[in-house]
Amino acid sequence: MTDAGAQAVQAAAPLVTIRGLHKAYRRGPETVDVLHGIDLDIPRGDFVALMGPSGSGKTTLLNLIGGLDSPTSGEIAIEGERIDRMSAGQLSNWRSRHVGFVFQFYNLMPMLTAQKNVELPLLLTSLSAAERRRRAQIALTLVGLAERRAHKPNELSGGQQQRVAIARAIVSDPTFLICDEPTGDLDRQSAEEILGLLQELNRDYGKTIVMVTHDPRAAEYATRTIHLDKGELVDAPAVPH
Ligand SMILES: Nc1ncnc2c1ncn2[C@@H]1O[C@H](COP(=O)(O)OP(=O)(O)O)[C@@H](O)[C@H]1O
Ligand SMILES: [Mg+2]
């Protein structure tokens, strides 16, 4: 195949390919089966809302896609790379290059300013201090918080803290973002601002986003909604094997 042909195939391939994914947790002598055979493709540029009842396995599936955990069996390929076969060390390296994380409770470092929190992922790179500062400022400007960069988390509202967390998630220009109930702790107006910001990152900057939510109004911001129930996808489109 020509280089151009190979590139075309690469571009057409889904960003995330999941086949026969199983996850079981050990709890003492018991095994708890959480995901039983998930097949899913996520194209590049999608903004996917993953919905389902509490305990249906949403966080488990999201963490597997983000390489925070490894499956019991089955395949997860991201851009053709099999992350299910990676060692913990390889996975952590892969994560730092490819995934931005946004959680319900922000997970900011309380003693650091917004600016320093956003710079954190860049400490793992070889960028100079000046370049880290510059990139963090760009990310904070993008989320509308340039003026608050010297503030610490407890000097910011919940919505502002989540925007700092989003700036931290995008500062290293990851391949995709995973967001677990990113508006679960916010009032309606702050939630809409955060969802609008995620939508802008998807539409205007082409970021692929996978977001867990149990709020149907939050899901409306996504380009596609998939439903998980008791560890299985409901009404998911068939994927090729
Ligand atoms: N680390 C773990 N060890 C044991 N059981 C777990 C662990 N994490 C999640 N579970 C169980 O897996 C099921 C799915 O959890 P989770 O993926 O967090 O669901 P959701 O995010 O949809 O609420 C639940 O029954 C939960 O108790
Ligand atoms: Mg959850």
Side-chain angles (χ1 to χ4, degrees):
M1 200 185 299
T2 62
D3 277 2
Q7 275 168 14
V9 168
Q10 171 94 37
L15 179 71
V16 180
T17 309
I18 295 176
R19 294 292 179 274
L21 191 71
H22 286 258
K23 180 67 182 177
Y25 293 110
R26 294 221 57 132
R27 218 163 6 203
E30 271 175 80
T31 306
V32 187
D33 264 324
V34 177
L35 299 178
H36 352 262
I38 303 280
D39 293 323
L40 177 65
D41 284 345
I42 301 176
R44 208 175 296 272
D46 251 22
F47 180 1
V48 179
L50 175 57
M51 300 191 71
S54 183
S56 58
K58 301 182 298 298
T59 294
T60 299
L61 178 57
L62 194 70
N63 289 348
L64 290 172
I65 295 172
L68 283 172
D69 199 358
S70 291
T72 306
S73 64
E75 302 180 12
I76 309 181
I78 317 272
E79 294 181 309
E81 249 191 302
R82 286 284 295 272
I83 65 168
D84 58 277
R85 289 178 172 167
M86 290 182 185
S87 68
Q90 288 173 320
L91 203 51
S92 134
N93 187 290
W94 175 85
R95 264 197 320 266
S96 68
R97 283 180 293 124
H98 291 287
V99 196
F101 295 93
V102 179
F103 301 101
Q104 181 175 359
F105 297 110
Y106 330 130
N107 292 12
L108 300 174
M109 301 291 276
M111 62 294 195
L112 298 182
T113 61
Q115 168 84 30
K116 290 292 180 192
N117 265 288
V118 176
E119 282 183 33
L120 276 181
L122 302 179
L123 293 177
L124 300 166
T125 68
S126 56
L127 295 173
S128 69
E131 184 59 20
R132 289 200 301 264
R133 204 155 45 237
R134 193 183 74 85
R135 293 196 189 186
Q137 280 172 16
I138 292 171
L140 279 167
T141 303
L142 204 153
V143 303
L145 279 185
E147 283 82 59
R148 304 292 170 101
R149 64 172 182 262
H151 290 239
K152 292 187 177 159
N154 69 1
E155 299 163 346
L156 298 168
S157 71
Q160 289 171 335
Q161 289 182 61
Q162 192 61 301
R163 283 197 266 161
V164 174
I166 292 172
R168 179 185 56 187
I170 59 176
V171 75
S172 45
D173 195 20
T175 309
F176 63 106
L177 296 184
I178 68 173
C179 312
D180 197 350
E181 309 264 8
T183 59
D185 198 47
L186 298 176
D187 60 76
R188 173 57 32 200
Q189 195 196 326
S190 304
E192 281 175 3
E193 284 169 15
I194 291 299
L195 291 161
L197 176 58
L198 292 174
Q199 194 172 52
E200 183 186 333
L201 289 172
N202 172 253
R203 272 190 195 159
D204 302 346
Y205 296 86
K207 273 290 165 236
T208 306
I209 302 177
V210 188
M211 172 178 76
V212 163
T213 182
H214 56 236
D215 177 1
R217 282 188 291 183
E220 282 172 17
Y221 286 78
T223 52
R224 186 155 74 100
T225 301
I226 55 179
H227 296 268
L228 199 58
D229 192 20
K230 300 191 186 75
E232 287 176 14
L233 289 178
V234 186
D235 296 335
V239 298
H241 274 272

